[in-house]
Amino acid sequence: MQIKLVSLEDGITASGFRRMAAYVHGLNEDTESCYVSTSQWRSLRGAITGSTGDKAELGPAEAEQIAAHLASADMVGFSSMTGYSELTHDIIARVRALNPNAYLIWGGIHPIIHPEDAILADVDAICTGEGEFAFEEFLQLFQDGRDFTHVKSFWFKIDGRVIRNVFRPLMSEEEMEDLPFPEYWDGELIYRPEKGFVPVTKDDYLTNDGLGYTTLWSIGCPFHCTFCGNTKFIANDPLYKKIRHPSARYIVDEIKDLRSRLPHVSQVSFHDDSFMAIPYRELETFAELWKKELDIPFAVYGVIPNYVKQDKFEILTWAGMNRVRMGIQSGSEAILDFYKRPTPPARILEAGRIITSFAPKYHIPAAFDIIMDNPIETKQDVVDTLELLYSMPRPFTLFIYSLKVIPNTELEKA
């Protein structure tokens, strides 16, 4: 059977989608990966204006062209975050109209966080948890013509009736060790307006991520901050709070494999939710392998102040870490409590001092995340945040985010 997988997001990084695509290709040879880069590429302008990941904008003619390509498959798997959910709803409806017999599945972040919205699309199923093993079980039953409606981490729609299955246990570290590396440059297609889907080229990778490569080593987060999607993952399975990852050998081999196909890659960015929560001994093994076999710079963008330790920064900096990004969010105790973030300002300041002690000799200036426009913030809360930032040692840069409050009416729809 022919399976087409499609990622809808800004750019073509799609780290999670690429891992899933590689796994599905191992199950079904006739599988095609398609990328719909909704705003073409992530950009500095998008980050500054806050438009990255906000809302996809494609015209009806483009949506129809995308759907026409996907509709030729026996099965289509969609992957998107919530910012692209309206577009995904639209394309799903168009694929269904063109091929009523195609089996349509929606996975990715949006169906996990908002399953009640995703199941309203004209799909046959949605994936509500980690998809690799769940999809493998489903696909085997589907191809054998047997009942698959009991498969965990899936919701199925049969004659208008929704079957909501429970969650499959999270994969273990041993199981993660056996997963294929993310797929890159193996017959991938990218959508270009008017031209349709064409092969991804090296220029596409260079435009998307420059000389860098974005990946994750670990999954999970010990915190459940109210503004973060991890709260939903933890609600689905409390074990998501535990950091899980394959071996240091695995992640180093992943980068080596990638560079064998894309030799221009000379920097790696880790977007783990809590990279620094990995125990020192495991980071030490990682650092030794990285230094010996790769010896290229890497950045860590998932840093929680509570886990910033001098010894971890020393060993990782020795290995090649040259930039970090840490979430501060607020300098107000009251707001941090509101976010359920157990990181007092004094601990944030201590972490900032450790981080900036490595710049500028070893590191590019650190980046810190701040959340603004919280409707419950008082003037004093804002002053507390400004005072904390004023106290932080230089140099550093800021990523400032606006807290979007969803009206109750929208929540009820979702």
Side-chain angles (χ1 to χ4, degrees):
M1 67 183 301
Q2 185 181 45
I3 299 175
K4 292 189 178 183
L5 305 175
V6 56
S7 168
L8 299 103
E9 67 170 54
D10 293 345
I12 58 172
T13 299
S15 298
F17 174 83
R18 290 182 180 279
R19 293 180 186 277
M20 184 67 186
Y23 196 83
V24 176
H25 275 154
L27 302 175
N28 186 80
E29 184 176 354
D30 190 7
T31 298
E32 180 181 275
S33 296
C34 305
Y35 293 85
V36 176
S37 181
T38 53
S39 295
Q40 288 308 299
W41 310 107
R42 295 178 182 270
S43 66
L44 178 61
R45 180 178 181 276
I48 292 173
T49 61
S51 60
T52 297
D54 182 36
K55 188 175 183 180
E57 293 184 2
L58 288 175
E62 294 168 324
E64 193 67 26
Q65 191 176 32
I66 293 166
H69 177 83
L70 300 175
S72 63
D74 301 302
M75 182 178 292
V76 184
F78 298 83
S79 176
S80 70
M81 292 185 283
T82 298
Y84 315 98
S85 59
E86 289 185 23
L87 175 64
T88 307
H89 271 279
D90 181 30
I91 293 178
I92 287 172
R94 293 172 187 271
V95 172
R96 176 67 72 202
L98 292 169
N99 183 1
N101 296 319
Y103 199 90
L104 308 184
I105 304 173
W106 190 353
I109 299 297
H110 184 67
I112 297 175
I113 295 179
H114 294 299
E116 297 290 355
D117 173 73
I119 199 65
L120 293 177
D122 202 350
V123 293
D124 298 289
I126 62 172
C127 184
T128 59
E130 291 182 341
E132 288 87 349
F133 301 150
F135 182 80
E136 180 177 12
E137 181 184 358
F138 156 76
L139 185 63
Q140 186 63 59
L141 294 169
F142 182 88
Q143 291 177 325
D144 291 347
R146 293 185 287 156
D147 178 30
F148 51 76
T149 58
H150 61 278
V151 175
K152 296 177 180 179
S153 293
F154 266 92
W155 287 11
F156 296 97
K157 194 158 52 180
I158 308 294
D159 298 325
R161 181 173 63 93
V162 176
I163 299 173
R164 297 170 171 82
N165 293 318
V166 297
F167 298 100
R168 184 187 183 93
L170 299 173
M171 68 178 73
S172 67
E173 292 188 338
E174 291 74 20
E175 290 170 327
M176 295 171 76
E177 193 78 20
D178 293 329
L179 295 177
F181 298 139
E183 179 182 81
Y184 271 85
W185 219 0
D186 291 317
E188 300 172 325
L189 301 178
I190 186 171
Y191 174 73
R192 301 196 192 286
E194 298 182 0
K195 294 182 180 180
F197 284 92
V198 299
V200 174
T201 68
K202 184 184 293 185
D203 285 346
D204 291 316
Y205 292 125
L206 288 167
T207 303
N208 182 69
D209 218 2
L211 301 179
Y213 170 60
T214 299
T215 190
L216 298 93
W217 179 21
S218 66
I219 298 175
C221 183
F223 286 9
H224 49 96
C225 307
T226 54
F227 54 79
C228 182
N230 283 337
T231 56
K232 182 63 175 178
F233 303 155
I234 294 169
N236 292 345
D237 190 331
L239 291 179
Y240 194 85
K241 297 182 73 171
K242 181 180 183 295
I243 304 295
R244 295 169 293 136
H245 59 84
S247 66
R249 173 80 274 159
Y250 177 97
I251 190 63
V252 168
D253 284 348
E254 176 188 320
I255 309 306
K256 292 169 68 175
D257 175 76
L258 185 278
R259 294 184 79 203
S260 71
R261 284 173 286 149
L262 299 176
H264 67 267
V265 169
S266 53
Q267 187 274 339
V268 176
S269 297
F270 288 99
H271 281 255
D272 306 38
D273 287 317
S274 189
F275 190 98
M276 292 297 167
I278 297 172
Y280 176 84
R281 185 164 295 180
E282 295 173 44
L283 291 178
E284 184 179 42
T285 301
F286 163 82
E288 290 172 349
L289 285 173
W290 189 279
K291 183 70 173 177
K292 179 180 178 180
E293 301 183 20
L294 289 168
D295 199 22
I296 60 174
F298 64 93
V300 175
Y301 291 133
V303 176
I304 298 174
N306 305 52
Y307 298 99
V308 172
K309 305 292 184 182
Q310 184 78 23
D311 56 353
K312 290 184 177 181
F313 268 70
E314 287 174 352
I315 191 68
L316 292 172
T317 299
W318 168 80
M321 183 175 73
N322 69 348
R323 182 170 173 81
V324 298
R325 181 171 165 188
M326 180 175 75
I328 291 177
Q329 317 314 351
S330 177
S332 163
E333 288 264 20
I335 297 301
L336 290 169
D337 288 344
F338 172 73
Y339 290 147
K340 295 184 179 179
R341 192 170 176 84
T343 308
R347 184 66 186 89
I348 294 172
L349 185 58
E350 179 186 352
R353 287 172 176 159
I354 292 174
I355 292 171
T356 53
S357 70
F358 290 86
K361 185 175 181 179
Y362 304 108
H363 286 195
I364 298 167
F368 301 141
D369 291 350
I370 293 291
I371 298 175
M372 304 297 291
D373 300 326
N374 185 328
I376 74 161
E377 271 187 328
T378 65
K379 180 179 179 180
Q380 186 58 51
D381 293 326
V382 175
V383 169
D384 290 345
T385 298
L386 293 174
E387 288 183 342
L388 174 65
L389 294 175
Y390 185 79
S391 300
M392 294 286 278
R394 274 63 168 173
F396 63 82
T397 59
L398 291 178
F399 280 77
I400 301 175
Y401 297 90
S402 176
L403 185 67
K404 181 180 180 181
V405 179
I406 303 175
N408 288 335
T409 51
E410 291 188 34
L411 284 172
E412 287 168 5
K413 291 179 186 176

